[in-house]
Amino acid sequence: MAYTFVRDAKDLRGLKNVMGVDFSPKKTCTYDCIDCGLGRTNTLTTERSEFYPAEEVFNEIRSYIREKGAPQHILLTGSGEPTLYAGFGKLATMIKNEFQDLKVMVYSNFSLLSREEVRQEVALCDIVWGSFNTVIDDQFKKVYRPHESIKLQDVREGLKKFRAEYHGILEPDTRFFKGINDSEKNVDGLKKFMKDVNPQKYYIFDPKHKGEPLAEDFIEMIKKKFIDLPFKIEYNV
Ligand code: SF4
């Protein structure tokens, strides 16, 4: 059987056997990030939609698991921002009810967490990964090229509210782009913001493949400034 929504399991960020589930038409997103591995955004939107019935996606997950065995984790992702999928909560609930040993995960850009219903649906996941690259407005616009209705302030507040309400594992990441968000002001602002958010782990990336590598002294500066943050930081720089 050819699978449409399910991707073969692989190891990711130290986690074993992570099966991806993709339920977005390519590429439907609230952002049009400069480093998006999927290319430019075709549909830049903030409107949620049940692109495919959640039951159809779930049935495929179930068939895949029957045929190939259960993974340890299911990553709800998409060819775009997964929280734009209006079936997200329904799908996460179906997976958790039927496969109680699996960890359900999401990788989000956090842009819709200002909405209560999105926070509630994302909170169904055991592990939440996501991108948060800057606390500075003009950098936010350059890095993410967001839908015009999305404001950085709302994204910040949404993520903080989510943290306050959520009891699972939150592991955001920051990608620094040379000449765009690699400013000391952003590093200081991120430090303060992440201290408030207080995730379990924070990833720092240098997206070398998409431009010039970061300067060595910048990387040293981040490490020095972040040294006293009260959670684990993993550097991939
Ligand atoms: S949020 Fe993700 S899917 Fe959307 S444009 Fe950025 S990298 Fe691509």
Side-chain angles (χ1 to χ4, degrees), residues 27-39 41 78-82 107-109 131 144:
K27 206 194 109 182
T28 307
C29 198
T30 51
Y31 291 168
D32 184 15
C33 301
I34 54 170
D35 67 328
C36 184
L38 301 165
T41 296
S79 299
E81 167 53 31
Y107 187 94
S108 169
N109 63 25
S131 168
Y144 289 122

Side-chain angles (χ1 to χ4, degrees), residues 118-136:
V118 173
R119 289 198 302 279
Q120 285 172 356
E121 291 179 32
V122 174
L124 295 167
C125 297
D126 302 288
I127 302 173
V128 176
W129 287 345
S131 168
F132 191 90
N133 290 335
T134 180
V135 293
I136 297 171

Side-chain angles (χ1 to χ4, degrees), residues 2-226:
Y3 289 96
T4 310
F5 304 113
V6 177
R7 305 284 172 264
D8 280 329
K10 56 185 181 182
D11 297 348
L12 271 181
R13 294 191 184 181
L15 295 181
K16 296 275 176 218
N17 217 350
V18 182
M19 183 176 99
V21 178
D22 178 355
F23 36 66
S24 313
K26 195 177 173 187
K27 206 194 109 182
T28 307
C29 198
T30 51
Y31 291 168
D32 184 15
C33 301
I34 54 170
D35 67 328
C36 184
L38 301 165
R40 294 301 300 259
T41 296
N42 303 321
T43 309
L44 186 65
T45 183
T46 58
E47 202 174 313
R48 303 186 80 206
S49 167
E50 191 163 344
F51 308 115
Y52 309 98
E55 291 77 9
E56 198 182 313
V57 180
F58 178 71
N59 284 340
E60 194 177 287
I61 294 171
R62 189 157 49 192
S63 306
Y64 184 96
I65 289 175
R66 280 187 187 145
E67 188 187 335
K68 303 200 181 189
Q72 291 177 21
H73 306 84
I74 290 190
L75 176 62
L76 302 180
T77 172
S79 299
E81 167 53 31
T83 61
L84 279 172
Y85 181 48
F88 188 96
K90 212 193 294 179
L91 180 63
T93 303
M94 284 191 281
I95 297 169
K96 288 186 77 70
N97 286 344
E98 180 138 342
F99 304 108
Q100 287 161 14
D101 294 337
L102 297 189
K103 298 272 183 240
V104 177
M105 309 164 59
V106 63
Y107 187 94
S108 169
N109 63 25
F110 301 138
S111 58
L112 300 182
L113 286 181
S114 53
R115 301 183 193 172
E116 189 179 354
E117 90 270 8
V118 173
R119 289 198 302 279
Q120 285 172 356
E121 291 179 32
V122 174
L124 295 167
C125 297
D126 302 288
I127 302 173
V128 176
W129 287 345
S131 168
F132 191 90
N133 290 335
T134 180
V135 293
I136 297 171
D137 272 312
D138 65 326
Q139 295 183 2
F140 176 73
K141 288 187 187 121
K142 281 185 190 151
V143 170
Y144 289 122
R145 298 186 290 213
H147 185 275
E148 60 184 358
S149 67
I150 295 179
K151 305 288 173 245
L152 174 59
Q153 186 58 26
D154 296 336
V155 181
R156 293 173 62 149
E157 288 309 312
L159 185 54
K160 280 208 252 181
K161 270 192 194 155
F162 176 72
R163 172 76 284 181
E165 297 162 4
Y166 176 60
H167 303 295
I169 296 173
L170 176 65
E171 297 183 342
D173 63 67
T174 293
R175 284 173 162 71
F176 285 105
F177 299 90
K178 192 162 188 200
I180 301 179
N181 63 338
D182 62 338
S183 65
E184 189 167 359
K185 188 174 168 200
N186 189 32
V187 175
D188 289 338
L190 284 167
K191 178 175 180 179
K192 189 169 179 307
F193 179 71
M194 286 300 166
K195 216 169 173 176
D196 290 346
V197 171
N198 196 25
Q200 276 87 347
K201 199 195 261 189
Y202 179 32
Y203 288 89
I204 305 290
F205 293 109
D206 173 1
K208 296 183 181 74
H209 60 294
K210 291 282 177 182
E212 270 185 83
L214 295 169
E216 281 301 317
D217 54 353
F218 176 73
I219 294 169
E220 284 313 305
M221 189 254 286
I222 309 172
K223 288 184 175 172
K224 265 193 203 146
K225 284 189 184 265
F226 286 179

